[in-house]
Amino acid sequence: MPALSVTLALIIFAAGTIAGSLGALLGLGGGVFLVPFLNLVMGFPFTVAAAISLTTVIATSSTVSAGRAGKQLINMRLGMLLEVATAAGSFLGGVTAQFVSQSVLQRLFGIVAVVVALIMLSRLRRRNVILDPNADPGLLGGRYHEEESGCTVTYRVKRLPLAVGASFIAGNVSSLLGIGGGIIKVPVLNAWCGIPLRAAAATSAFMIGVTATAGAIIYYGRGQLEPALAGVACLGVQLGSWGGMKFGAAASSKWLKILMAGVLFIVSAMMFMRGGR
Amino acid sequence: MSGKRPTEVISPRLERVVGVVLRAGVIASSVCLAVGLVLSLATEGGAVAAWLLNIGILVLLATPVARVVVSTVEYINERDWRFAALTGIVLLELIASAMAALVFNRKL
């Protein structure tokens, strides 16, 4: 493990800031950019990179959810139900990561990066599901006030087993690869389970703190979580996601998505090249 | 479950408590990490710096766990047994992770 120097601290802080702001602009965590940077560019072992990234996921989740709590956008009941699945997946992923080789993890990351890029490209035009505001949201549904349209949005949860399954996979991938996993859950919750995009994203961001913790604890116990490196990255990511959310509205998210999908294809190719050796 | 099912799906008290726990955890861990980092760069890795950095990371990891604990307590208070049980299971899963961490730690 490299000792923390001022230069190293600045590099990781900057990488965290960029990953965090990209994450906020694109509506996903920054981990999908931070892990390949730390592993491929900085040369950290994959598990060390994943552990650092997981702590930034926890920090982002807690910060974002603290700001949103009380605004009814987070569906806490649904979140806590799905956390049963994400935490189980994450626990298994964290244990599995200790027994597979770095090249397997790199190739797996390569596959997930392509999936993330394709999901991003397929969702250039976002769509919200809006039900009759007086409808009964049921046990797991939700209701929130949308500021832009001035409407109250009510929704029911459909196809719960699918949401649970997607959450398990997201949790598993999260702690294996050090990403938040929102990119897997949010499209499923939005497209098939009847949950409006903003509620799905807020609920997912709420859940990934617990998900990432289940994995990060294992990395910490194994001595793969270096507090100084993780600390710098966390502070950078928090600054970046704060900036991304504050100034994000001005950016054109369509072109940014296309650009970042391109970056992810390159990341994927690099992961396969390294992992294939 | 009581006869009158709550029509309002949101529990304002729970949301408020969860918000407070998350914010407190983020602030406490960020302060420990920031001070620890400055100290560790200034003193080239003193014991206090290492201690603060470790505390910062542990507080960060403990924040979501604390959020699950207060949710479980709050659901028990509301006599919402279904969700008390679900959050209780999540808590057990997090404990399982901590156990796995201890096992890995002792082995190596």
Side-chain angles (χ1 to χ4, degrees), chain A residues 21 69-70 74-75 77 129 134 166 168 172 176 182 203 244 269 274 276:
Chain A
S21 53
I74 301 171
N75 185 331
R77 282 193 173 184
V129 188
N134 298 317
F168 179 82
N172 202 233
L176 260 179
T203 305
R274 289 285 174 92

Side-chain angles (χ1 to χ4, degrees), chain B residues 17-38:
Chain B
V17 175
V18 164
V20 168
V21 168
L22 293 178
R23 181 161 291 128
V26 165
I27 293 171
S29 70
S30 298
V31 168
C32 288
L33 289 173
V35 176
L37 282 167
V38 171

Side-chain angles (χ1 to χ4, degrees), chain A residues 240-273:
Chain A
S241 54
W242 173 81
M245 281 195 291
K246 200 157 173 68
F247 306 109
S252 157
S253 72
K254 186 183 167 192
W255 289 106
L256 191 65
K257 280 182 184 174
I258 293 174
L259 181 70
M260 286 305 127
V263 170
L264 286 178
F265 283 125
I266 297 169
V267 162
S268 171
M270 288 174 70
M271 282 289 184
F272 269 104
M273 272 155 56

Side-chain angles (χ1 to χ4, degrees), chain A residues 70 77 83-84 214 220 222, chain B residues 15 54 64 67 80 93 97 108:
Chain A
R77 282 193 173 184
E83 270 167 11
V84 173
Y220 184 83
R222 190 69 194 266
Chain B
E15 293 227 353
N54 264 298
R67 187 266 274 172
D80 191 340
E93 289 170 338
S97 272
L108 293 155

Side-chain angles (χ1 to χ4, degrees), chain A residues 61-165:
Chain A
S61 167
S62 297
T63 309
V64 168
S65 302
R68 281 186 188 139
K71 291 182 183 162
Q72 309 190 337
L73 202 54
I74 301 171
N75 185 331
M76 289 205 181
R77 282 193 173 184
L78 179 66
M80 294 193 192
L81 169 66
L82 295 181
E83 270 167 11
V84 173
T86 62
S90 181
F91 168 74
L92 287 176
V95 173
T96 311
Q98 306 302 328
F99 295 104
V100 295
S101 70
Q102 159 150 304
S103 65
V104 171
L105 293 172
Q106 284 174 326
R107 272 176 277 171
L108 196 60
F109 195 98
I111 295 168
V112 171
V114 169
V115 173
V116 169
L118 292 177
I119 291 172
M120 219 147 70
L121 289 176
S122 69
R123 300 177 62 78
L124 291 175
R125 286 180 298 119
R126 303 156 153 216
R127 189 172 56 92
N128 272 20
V129 188
I130 298 176
L131 271 178
D132 168 21
N134 298 317
D136 175 17
L139 183 64
L140 289 171
R143 182 180 281 149
Y144 65 92
H145 186 75
E146 197 177 58
E147 275 168 31
E148 293 81 21
S149 59
C151 302
T152 298
V153 179
T154 306
Y155 58 94
R156 288 181 77 94
V157 176
K158 297 182 285 188
R159 301 188 187 93
L160 187 62
L162 185 67
V164 171

Side-chain angles (χ1 to χ4, degrees), chain A residues 44 50 55 68 105 151 171 192 211 215 218 227 243:
Chain A
F44 294 177
T55 55
R68 281 186 188 139
L105 293 172
C151 302
W192 290 300
T211 313
I218 296 176

Side-chain angles (χ1 to χ4, degrees), chain B:
Chain B
M1 283 244 101
S2 61
K4 51 174 179 69
R5 205 170 69 76
T7 41
E8 215 37 69
V9 285
I10 280 109
S11 159
R13 220 176 89 110
L14 175 62
E15 293 227 353
R16 207 171 46 240
V17 175
V18 164
V20 168
V21 168
L22 293 178
R23 181 161 291 128
V26 165
I27 293 171
S29 70
S30 298
V31 168
C32 288
L33 289 173
V35 176
L37 282 167
V38 171
L39 274 181
S40 109
L41 290 173
T43 63
E44 277 163 19
V48 179
W51 184 79
L52 271 174
L53 287 167
N54 264 298
I55 293 293
I57 291 295
L58 287 174
V59 171
L60 189 76
L61 294 181
T63 302
V65 182
R67 187 266 274 172
V68 174
V69 172
V70 298
S71 309
T72 312
V73 171
E74 194 60 29
Y75 282 127
I76 290 173
N77 274 339
E78 290 177 11
R79 302 184 182 283
D80 191 340
W81 305 119
R82 243 188 287 197
F83 282 89
L86 286 172
T87 47
I89 294 170
V90 174
L91 196 57
L92 287 177
E93 289 170 338
L94 289 169
I95 292 171
S97 272
M99 291 297 162
L102 288 175
V103 168
F104 280 126
N105 200 5
R106 199 165 305 163
K107 234 165 61 177
L108 293 155

